[in-house]
Amino acid sequence: MAATTLLPPGRAGQLVAELGDRARLCDLYGPHGAPIYHDMSLRDTGEVRHLVGLVRPHPGPVLDLAAGSGRITLPLLALGREVTALDLSADMLALLRQQLDRAPAHLRERCTVVQADMADFRLPRRHAVIVLGTTSISLLDRAGRAGLYRCVAEHLADGGRFFLTTLDRGADSPEEEVEITATGASGTAYRLYEHWPAGADVRTITVLPSELPDGPVPVCTGHVRVLPPDRLAAELTQAGFTVQQRRTPLEDAGRHRVTLIEAEIQR
């Protein structure tokens, strides 16, 4: 497993230091972290239900950006739509293809998988709906978001909708860092640290096994930007979109507040 010289902050970093040579640091979205991210994300279905319900009234093909391992893609296919699943990570898309291989043919045949950057892509058709879930827009810096808005505008059909989610901090958790135990769809228990100082523009997620093995310990870390919904709505407006609705909070778990934005491009 590839190592990195960057230690996670806070208690997670202290634990890594205590593990010493046993710690195997990896990217949460890379080849070793992707299966763990996939396992954990399958249990988080609240956002998926909201997005599928919003897509349902808009007939036509759907583009699922930052599709990853298919958390949203497969429910969209279940609506009977043609879905293009786009992601930059070959490791995540490999997990999606494994799921498609196990899916019924009538679902599999309606899915097109594309490896590309959501901030710079070219596809041969426009789409009735473009979805960017899992607050994945926070993975992009300002220049990347500008590229995303441009590409979405080019690929959204007239009257189509762009649905995206973003996350900011709730009012009920002043702690700089929290540690929780999460259980994946496989039944595997994980120890998750979220380091998020008040006012910080980036939060750091670190995941490792709940029960530490005697040998090497995988420690997967991801750094995620914080993009408040007011800033996101302002950027969309500046890029030529009309924000139709904002649903806040979509989910409220105390520390996290997820907002879903519905936008339409003006031509």
Side-chain angles (χ1 to χ4, degrees), residues 83-175:
V83 180
T84 298
L86 183 148
D87 200 284
L88 183 60
S89 170
D91 302 298
M92 286 290 186
L93 291 180
L95 293 170
L96 170 58
R97 288 189 175 96
Q98 289 176 15
Q99 294 201 89
L100 289 171
D101 287 343
R102 296 192 294 266
H106 72 276
L107 294 183
R108 184 171 61 249
E109 292 167 356
R110 285 187 278 101
C111 187
T112 301
V113 179
V114 177
Q115 184 179 1
D117 187 343
M118 63 177 166
D120 185 15
F121 62 89
R122 298 289 183 274
L123 299 175
R125 71 189 304 184
R126 288 185 174 181
H127 298 77
V129 178
I130 298 179
V131 173
L132 177 57
T134 325
T135 67
S136 295
I137 193 167
S138 58
L139 299 172
L140 300 174
D141 59 17
R142 189 174 183 87
R145 295 195 300 272
L148 167 74
Y149 304 146
R150 182 185 65 254
C151 290
V152 169
E154 292 172 352
H155 291 82
L156 197 60
D158 292 343
R161 291 293 189 271
F162 180 30
F163 295 110
L164 67 163
T165 56
T166 191
L167 181 147
D168 63 345
R169 194 174 190 133
D172 300 333
S173 180
E175 297 92 346

Side-chain angles (χ1 to χ4, degrees), residues 45-70:
T45 60
E47 181 195 46
V48 177
R49 291 194 302 271
H50 283 279
L51 285 169
V52 170
L54 290 168
V55 170
R56 193 185 306 273
H58 302 279
V62 180
L63 172 57
D64 183 14
L65 295 176
S69 57

Side-chain angles (χ1 to χ4, degrees), residues 34 36-45 48 69 71 134 184-185:
I36 295 173
Y37 179 88
H38 170 72
D39 189 31
M40 295 178 64
S41 69
L42 289 177
R43 298 293 294 270
D44 183 12
T45 60
V48 177
S69 57
R71 173 173 169 264
T134 325

